[in-house]
Amino acid sequence: MQLGGQPVIILKEGSERSRGRDAQRNNIQAAIAVADAVRSALGPRGMDKLLVDSLGDVVITNDGATILDEIDVQHPAAKMLVQVAKVQDQEVGDGTTTSVIIAGELLKRAEKLLDQKIHPTVIIGGFKLASDKAAEILQAIANKVEADDTESLTAIARTSLNSKSVGGAKTLLSDMAVTATRAVMEDKKVDIDMISIIQKQGKSLTDSELIQGIVIDKEVVNTRMPSSVEKPSIALIDVALEIKKTEFDAKIRITEASMMDAFLDQEQSMIQDMVDKIQASGATTVLCQKGIDDLAQHFLAKQGILAVRRVKKSDMEKLARATGAKVVTNLKDLSADDLGSAGLIEEVQIGDEKLIYVRDCPNPKSVSIVLRGGTKYVTDEAERALHDALCVVRDVLEDGWAVAGAGSPEIELHRGLKEFAGTVKGREQMAVDAFADAVEIIPRTLAENAGLDSIDVLVELRAAHEQGNTNIGVNVETGKNVDAFKAGIIEPLRVKRQALRSAREAAELILRIDDVIQSKSGGGGAPGGMPPGMGGMGGMGGMGGMGGMPPMM
Ligand code: ADP
Ligand code: MG
């Protein structure tokens, strides 16, 4: 509320309020604490975290977004940082730890500037200048990657898997990520949802399989049907293969045996009719979204048709994309044109469950990956890892640009931004300078997590970049320099760009707050949710002058 320029805030009794530097310091510390919590997870030598929730459920992960999702953060400023990770995950699928660490470091450096009486607006302005310049620098060092460049794409998938606990399955998973994303790409767009991931406990990760088609959690409806059909002609129908129950409780009085026969005959002939239509279309397999009654099963089995009932709607849509079949809602319309194809459809027993595999679809626009592993912890973490791998391949397929990893782009950003700072006038220069120093936190942390001396590593990296070797990063095994691009440590340009962007936006949001009011109701005084408008980070840039913020509930 703003009255004549003076903020008027009416507080509930017992509300706590902190203003100015106190509020800023408190918020910044909370955000830094979150960033510190995930630092040790960064990179291939990062550690896993074991998280236990209030119900005693356990998650073992190395995934920044998951860590932040699982820990119950209370402080509103800390929540904003958690939000950074979420945005990063949704937008690009990788680089979550990176974005949070950079945000924390930006705030750490901003804090020092605030101590030197630099106004937050100046810092925010300088950060904006720096991040715009950073985007330019990244684009300048990026390399083009074409959709048919399997080697680079696989390296990109592998790089994202380097920091995940997927044991010896890295090669298999990165190959699958590339094949799967390329399969579902249409008009340079990849919809990750068209890649189904199915977890099945048992065996090991290396027994995971990519199916050029769909796997559905169903079984063949009747044991007298074939359990597999080669080169099936597939009908997808959204019609119940059963006699509709009358809506009213109709009674049919049967007085003679012949009437009973006639009645049954009629029912039988209606079902027979339906099955005839299916057979006439040439279908050898029926995947039905609704029910199939005993009689229909009997007739279908007699024709040697494999049938599955009550297939989920979402699976029907994917089946249509994979097999090229059209989902038919009226059997009268079913014709050969509506049928889809595959190399093989089969029922597979895994443990004590049965699954239907629709394999080897020609040019499937939807595919499935069945992840195997000893326990749910293993398959869960593998699914998270695979998700990142699919996302990074998608990012590069869609944009066509990648940068070297292993801390090399951040060293290059440091160098370029320092140079740029020299051209910036006034106090904003100090903020640009701080931004330049902040991004170096990534190679520094990679080195530290590998047990290396980060100062030595940074000195060597900077020297190499001064010589114009833009792709030199840290070899976390040896501590020596490595040409990251040649070594196959490659990341999407999109991931790096977004990580800087969301980090800067979060820092800005937190720096803009100079008044925090915590409502005491609800016990404990622990600040709960975020103020309105801060849930999504989309429009964060525009939140100027938050003199009188609404109380946080
Ligand atoms: P994020 O959640 O930010 O993706 P990760 O734990 O996945 O965090 O670590 C990503 C960082 O690890 C990137 O900077 C990437 O370049 C780096 N990295 C990946 N593989 C290697 C490697 N073999 N050597 C050095 N750095 C690597
Ligand atoms: Mg990663």
Side-chain angles (χ1 to χ4, degrees):
M1 235 182 295
Q2 198 92 6
L3 275 183
Q6 277 295 322
V8 175
I9 301 168
I10 299 138
L11 299 179
K12 211 190 261 177
E13 206 164 337
S15 296
E16 216 169 70
R17 178 171 186 185
S18 61
R19 277 197 259 193
R21 268 310 269 133
D22 277 351
Q24 265 162 357
R25 192 170 287 127
N26 184 281
N27 283 334
I28 289 174
Q29 288 312 324
I32 289 173
V34 171
D36 281 344
V38 294
R39 264 192 77 179
S40 68
L42 184 79
R45 306 287 294 273
M47 306 297 279
D48 285 353
K49 299 216 180 282
L50 188 147
L51 309 161
V52 186
D53 71 12
S54 52
L55 299 172
D57 284 338
V58 172
V59 179
I60 301 169
T61 185
N62 185 314
D63 188 62
T66 308
I67 296 170
L68 293 174
D69 202 34
E70 294 284 334
I71 55 179
D72 198 7
V73 172
Q74 287 284 2
H75 196 288
K79 281 190 178 174
M80 289 177 206
L81 220 55
V82 173
Q83 200 63 27
V84 180
K86 290 223 172 96
V87 171
Q88 180 75 17
D89 196 41
Q90 280 158 14
E91 297 281 320
V92 296
D94 195 17
T96 49
T97 319
T98 302
S99 65
V100 172
I101 293 176
I102 293 179
E105 194 64 18
L106 284 174
L107 286 166
K108 225 178 257 178
R109 310 254 165 197
E111 170 89 17
K112 290 207 184 99
L113 295 178
L114 290 169
D115 282 341
Q116 295 170 45
K117 301 270 183 294
I118 312 269
H119 196 270
T121 330
V122 175
I123 302 175
I124 289 165
F127 281 2
K128 174 80 170 69
L129 285 177
S131 81
D132 287 351
K133 184 70 189 175
E136 266 175 46
I137 297 172
L138 284 175
Q139 183 64 60
I141 57 171
N143 292 277
K144 193 105 193 93
V145 174
E146 303 293 344
D148 60 1
D149 183 352
T150 307
E151 197 185 326
S152 299
L153 291 172
T154 312
I156 288 159
R158 265 189 93 86
T159 301
S160 81
L161 292 174
N162 275 345
S163 47
K164 307 284 185 232
S165 337
V166 289
K170 212 180 282 173
T171 306
L172 177 68
L173 291 181
S174 43
D175 287 347
M176 291 199 302
V178 173
T179 314
T181 21
R182 263 204 305 228
V184 304
M185 178 162 76
E186 271 180 312
D187 308 326
K188 285 227 131 216
K189 285 267 164 260
V190 176
D191 182 359
I192 294 290
D193 290 340
M194 285 306 125
I195 303 165
S196 314
I197 302 177
I198 297 121
Q199 295 186 19
K200 282 287 156 206
Q201 272 83 56
K203 294 205 177 172
S204 81
L205 264 184
T206 45
D207 296 304
S208 302
E209 190 191 0
L210 168 69
I211 288 93
Q212 296 279 2
I214 305 297
V215 177
I216 37 181
D217 223 333
K218 293 281 164 195
E219 50 190 274
V220 175
V221 67
N222 193 298
T223 49
R224 276 174 295 146
M225 292 174 180
S227 61
S228 71
V229 176
E230 263 178 57
K231 298 215 182 335
S233 294
I234 301 167
L236 299 179
I237 61 172
D238 183 11
V239 186
L241 295 181
E242 49 197 18
I243 293 298
K244 280 200 198 76
K245 305 280 179 289
T246 42
E247 293 207 358
F248 305 101
D249 219 355
K251 271 206 186 84
I252 301 164
R253 191 183 294 270
I254 292 171
T255 48
E256 285 172 50
S258 61
M259 272 176 79
M260 181 68 187
D261 288 346
F263 176 71
L264 287 178
D265 279 353
Q266 197 192 355
E267 207 172 62
Q268 187 161 341
S269 73
M270 281 167 79
I271 294 280
Q272 178 78 64
D273 219 39
M274 290 178 171
V275 174
D276 284 349
K277 288 217 174 69
I278 289 170
Q279 209 213 353
S281 73
T284 55
T285 293
V286 176
L287 303 174
C288 181
Q289 199 178 323
K290 304 247 163 69
I292 303 178
D293 70 13
D294 290 348
L295 198 55
Q297 289 173 28
H298 168 74
F299 289 135
L300 287 166
K302 236 167 65 178
Q303 304 293 343
I305 292 175
L306 183 159
V308 179
R309 69 175 163 188
R310 302 198 194 290
V311 177
K312 274 193 300 198
K313 185 163 193 283
S314 56
D315 281 339
M316 291 294 277
E317 283 158 11
K318 287 178 181 164
L319 282 161
R321 283 179 63 99
T323 66
K326 236 199 288 150
V327 179
V328 171
T329 49
N330 188 337
L331 275 183
K332 270 199 224 97
D333 303 334
L334 182 68
S335 76
D337 288 348
D338 302 318
L339 303 181
S341 62
L344 174 71
I345 181 166
E346 60 173 346
E347 186 182 67
V348 173
Q349 177 117 22
I350 294 184
D352 45 15
E353 277 174 275
K354 285 178 179 158
L355 296 171
I356 300 286
Y357 281 58
V358 183
R359 291 181 183 279
D360 305 327
C361 296
N363 195 18
K365 288 293 160 227
S366 183
V367 298
S368 304
I369 292 171
V370 179
L371 284 177
R372 306 301 311 274
T375 65
K376 190 150 168 39
Y377 303 128
V378 173
T379 49
D380 272 349
E381 181 72 348
E383 177 164 349
R384 285 190 287 267
L386 185 58
H387 166 260
D388 284 18
L390 292 169
C391 286
V392 290
V393 179
R394 171 202 63 194
D395 294 344
V396 175
L397 281 176
E398 290 187 349
D399 302 351
W401 292 101
V403 292
S408 66
E410 288 85 3
I411 294 287
E412 196 57 28
L413 285 171
H414 173 80
R415 202 184 63 81
L417 288 172
K418 283 281 181 189
E419 221 173 80
F420 172 65
T423 71
V424 176
K425 301 227 163 43
R427 301 188 126 197
E428 284 185 340
Q429 183 183 84
M430 294 168 83
V432 175
D433 211 60
F435 194 108
D437 288 331
V439 290
E440 260 194 350
I441 187 73
I442 298 304
R444 184 146 29 101
T445 306
L446 287 172
E448 277 168 16
N449 287 350
L452 301 167
D453 184 323
S454 60
I455 295 177
D456 289 352
V457 169
L458 285 185
V459 167
E460 286 203 25
L461 288 179
R462 284 186 200 146
H465 281 252
E466 285 303 329
Q467 308 277 314
N469 301 314
T470 51
N471 293 341
I472 299 294
V474 52
N475 181 332
V476 289
E477 304 298 332
T478 62
K480 296 276 173 288
N481 287 353
V482 59
D483 184 317
F485 213 91
K486 285 201 188 116
I489 307 166
I490 313 176
E491 296 183 90
L493 172 63
R494 198 194 278 188
V495 167
K496 287 289 163 197
R497 203 171 41 205
Q498 180 67 35
L500 286 178
R501 184 165 153 192
S502 24
R504 179 188 66 78
E505 287 183 349
E508 172 174 343
L509 187 54
I510 290 169
L511 285 172
R512 277 198 194 280
I513 302 169
D514 74 342
D515 196 352
V516 175
I517 301 151
Q518 288 172 7
S519 170
K520 280 281 185 181
S521 60
M530 278 192 264
M534 290 194 184
M537 312 251 309
M540 282 189 354
M543 305 196 65
M546 304 191 58
M549 269 180 34
M552 298 178 188
M553 303 309 282

